[in-house]
Amino acid sequence: MTAKRSSTRKKRPETVQEPRAEPPLSRERIVTAAVELLDAEGVGGLTMRRLADHIGAGVMSLYWHVDNKEDVLALALDCVLDYRRPPDMAGPSDWRDEVLHLLEDWRAVMLRHPWSASLLPRQVLGRNALARLERLSMTLSKAGVAEADLNAAIWSFWNYVMGATITRSSFDLSAKDRADAQQRLAQPGGQHPAIERSGLLQEDDWDGVFRKGLGFLLDGLSLQGQTTA
Amino acid sequence: MTAKRSSTRKKRPETVQEPRAEPPLSRERIVTAAVELLDAEGVGGLTMRRLADHIGAGVMSLYWHVDNKEDVLALALDCVLDYRRPPDMAGPSDWRDEVLHLLEDWRAVMLRHPWSASLLPRQVLGRNALARLERLSMTLSKAGVAEADLNAAIWSFWNYVMGATITRSSFDLSAKDRADAQQRLAQPGGQHPAIERSGLLQEDDWDGVFRKGLGFLLDGLSLQGQTTA
DNA sequence: ACCTGAACACCGTTCAAGT
DNA sequence: ACCTGAACACCGTTCAAGT
């Protein structure tokens, strides 16, 4: 394709010199641009037209390389979820640490692309999502989680991570929103004494909360059957 | 408003007789219609125009009663999440059962309106969402969950329920999809031996899985600090 | 106070056509 | 094999106007 590109170059003498001589359209280039757009503008900002503009192509050219918008979203999601299984740790490591690391990485990746988490639940079968699930499954069964508990355990971690990440990335209160919420709760005759007292909506150590809840899940799982490390 | 309606009637002799003489437009009527439409067509099927048609009003009439589409969605969500705190159980009941019941009800409500769960994470502050969180908070602190663990516990349950429900309602595989998935996993040199072996994607006892994972969470929480029932 | 139509600035995608 | 423009059937919302 380098050949093709340079032949295109020859046609355009240097005098014109477009902003950048665009490499030919390709699935890969489309996905890259889609991720950029999604990162910059969120899911509502991705439009086939804007995507084409961003690339410097006609809208309909995209459809040669891609089925439709849904396809673009699926590709972008999978791209972002890229997972290279870490080199198998030398020596036996704590399975809890392994799960923790795996899920914190997963969450971190999705928070870096805040549009991604909400898309994942209907795209469970993506290449990299499956790879991550596979890894989790391996870790848990090597840890001795009973066969009968395995699927429930995996889906529990999944649910927890998705819920946490989707919530975190779609519910970020501005300072003003927080003030409003707090005020509404503290109204005379407030109907929410408990969550007002604990400051549930004022919580801001999301990393800590995430880790703590994961701890509950791991502890509960450890109690089940013969989970031997 | 009955007056207004009957006066309208007079203008139209029985010969025409519209399907139903429409009661006047109101926020309430709009929300009801929105929920119907959402239940029938999903989130992609709700359109201001279709909503107006469904009600028998002009599109722009809606905007007198409602700020915008986002507002409609928020109202519909809160409507569906309706929560009447159950009459305080006579006698002390198991706090685990109470949490279980609370969260299973929450999940069931959202599954009955499959569009709702995905909307909730950015609408945490809705009336009924807060009421349910309040209830959960009360139950947990009465159960003796330490002050320091309370918020983490509440958010953990939230995350778990949201993750489970969103996944369940956006990822329902047809029989064909399942077959495809299974086949892809089972390909020669398959890269997913673990999740193939456990049949992770063939799981279909979602209620059971949900309850089991909730059990892990509850068990883990019970281990923490002095949780006395 | 409540409703309306026309208009604006967008969408995703089909289709028939170009090279 | 790859790209394109025109066109279709939609969107949400503003605005100026009606009653």
Side-chain angles (χ1 to χ4, degrees), chain A residues 79-98:
Chain A
C79 170
V80 138
L81 246 36
D82 181 45
Y83 181 69
R84 347 181 152 285
R85 79 182 336 114
D88 276 317
M89 315 258 187
S93 68
D94 188 1
W95 68 273
R96 285 182 61 118
D97 282 352
E98 233 170 293

Side-chain angles (χ1 to χ4, degrees), chain B residues 3-49:
Chain B
K4 194 173 187 181
R5 185 181 152 191
S6 62
S7 82
T8 306
R9 266 265 187 73
K10 265 188 182 162
K11 270 194 196 167
R12 291 188 197 283
E14 310 237 322
T15 53
V16 176
Q17 192 173 19
E18 299 196 315
R20 225 184 321 150
E22 306 288 359
L25 211 46
S26 73
R27 214 174 160 80
E28 200 193 27
R29 240 162 73 70
I30 293 175
V31 174
T32 307
V35 171
E36 279 174 29
L37 216 54
L38 285 164
D39 285 348
E41 319 262 9
V43 92
L46 183 75
T47 275
M48 294 306 272
R49 292 172 207 256

Side-chain angles (χ1 to χ4, degrees), chain B residues 151-163:
Chain B
N151 282 348
I154 297 172
W155 284 124
S156 298
F157 285 121
W158 165 281
N159 291 338
Y160 180 79
V161 174
M162 294 309 137

Side-chain angles (χ1 to χ4, degrees), chain A residues 33-95:
Chain A
V35 171
E36 280 175 27
L37 215 55
L38 285 163
D39 285 349
E41 318 262 8
V43 91
L46 183 75
T47 275
M48 294 305 272
R49 293 173 206 257
R50 277 202 251 182
L51 180 54
D53 273 5
H54 193 52
I55 293 179
V59 203
M60 293 319 298
S61 310
L62 302 179
Y63 285 83
W64 179 261
H65 304 271
V66 134
D67 285 352
N68 47 35
K69 187 179 178 180
E70 198 192 332
D71 195 20
V72 175
L73 286 172
L75 290 168
L77 178 59
D78 197 62
C79 170
V80 138
L81 246 36
D82 181 45
Y83 181 69
R84 347 181 152 285
R85 79 182 336 114
D88 276 317
M89 315 258 187
S93 68
D94 188 1
W95 68 273

Side-chain angles (χ1 to χ4, degrees), chain B residues 10 25 58 73 79 82 87 103 128 150 164 170 181 190 213:
Chain B
K10 265 188 182 162
L25 211 46
L73 286 172
C79 169
D82 182 46
L103 298 184
N128 286 308
L150 193 56
S170 34

